[in-house]
Amino acid sequence: MKYEKYAQKAVGKLQKNQPKFRKKFDTDNYANWFYNQSSETLRLYSKDKEIYFKYIPVGTFSLKTKSWMWSWANEDSVEPRKFRTLKIKEFGEKKNYENLTNAHFVGDKYTGWELTAIAFDTIGGIGTYRVISEHLEKYFLLTEQITKEEAEKIESELIECSVHGKIRKAFICQHLNTEQKTGFEEAFETYRGMELDEEDDFQAWCSECEKERLKTDGWNDESMEFAKIKLVCERCYFEIKETNK
């Protein structure tokens, strides 16, 4: 299927869904919006009411340069779930759709919604939303409604990284770093932007720590003393993982 035909089909699917979403959550009747990159939450609010959503950032459209940038290519963004949009890029590579594989390109006033419709078709969600700040349009896939308390809980569990800002936490042994390959053992297989169960954290240790762990038949005081587990942010975690590929 040619890109134009596929894009038209995706836009049609979103146009069918969006009115139902807007009606269900009454999104047109909120005067203000606020999004938090660190927690990837969107708050819509008026004087007497508010509603919260979890989101995946799709991308941004510059009204000044008339150009689009996919969120997976936006190095200024700290949003972990931006890497979910790599699924769109992979789909584009299979189909040879350049608009889905090029990180940054010139577009028009329809580009943002077209690509957000494709994101909705590829990744899914309950609806979409756009915010406009000065010369920049930012497009979101909304994945679920959450309560104010849930939004505050997400925010409270983030840590402040001196390099990457406020972001999700991770744990690594004292030997892991971005300077050298030391092996990379994980508590479970991870990928950038993945959802975690409430009881889970990103956890990794080096090959030497793995030897100690196996020697003591699991983590105990001795192997933990050797590992000296420390707290890092999610982005630091995956940069170290990249180093050890």
Side-chain angles (χ1 to χ4, degrees), residues 103-153:
H104 187 262
F105 56 90
V106 173
D108 57 34
K109 62 181 180 179
Y110 303 110
T111 299
W113 282 121
E114 176 179 290
L115 298 178
T116 301
I118 289 172
F120 182 76
D121 183 57
T122 309
I123 299 173
I126 60 173
T128 65
Y129 200 80
R130 176 187 66 174
V131 301
I132 304 175
S133 177
E134 295 180 355
H135 66 279
L136 200 67
E137 296 178 337
K138 187 175 175 82
Y139 291 82
F140 303 103
L141 272 184
L142 304 183
T143 56
E144 62 181 308
Q145 181 191 3
I146 58 173
T147 64
K148 180 180 181 180
E149 291 70 30
E150 287 171 323
E152 289 173 344
K153 186 173 187 295

Side-chain angles (χ1 to χ4, degrees), residues 150-182:
E150 287 171 323
E152 289 173 344
K153 186 173 187 295
I154 294 167
E155 179 71 17
S156 70
E157 292 175 348
L158 303 175
I159 63 165
E160 189 74 44
C161 173
S162 60
V163 178
H164 300 117
K166 207 164 189 180
I167 198 166
R168 288 194 295 183
K169 63 181 182 290
F171 297 92
I172 61 171
C173 74
Q174 64 171 325
H175 312 105
L176 288 174
N177 57 68
T178 55
E179 307 300 319
Q180 56 187 346
K181 289 191 175 186
T182 55

Side-chain angles (χ1 to χ4, degrees), residues 200-215:
D200 288 333
D201 290 303
F202 295 111
Q203 302 173 39
W205 51 92
C206 71
S207 298
E208 289 303 312
C209 283
E210 178 66 357
K211 289 177 186 175
E212 291 297 318
R213 189 182 74 86
L214 294 174
K215 193 191 298 181

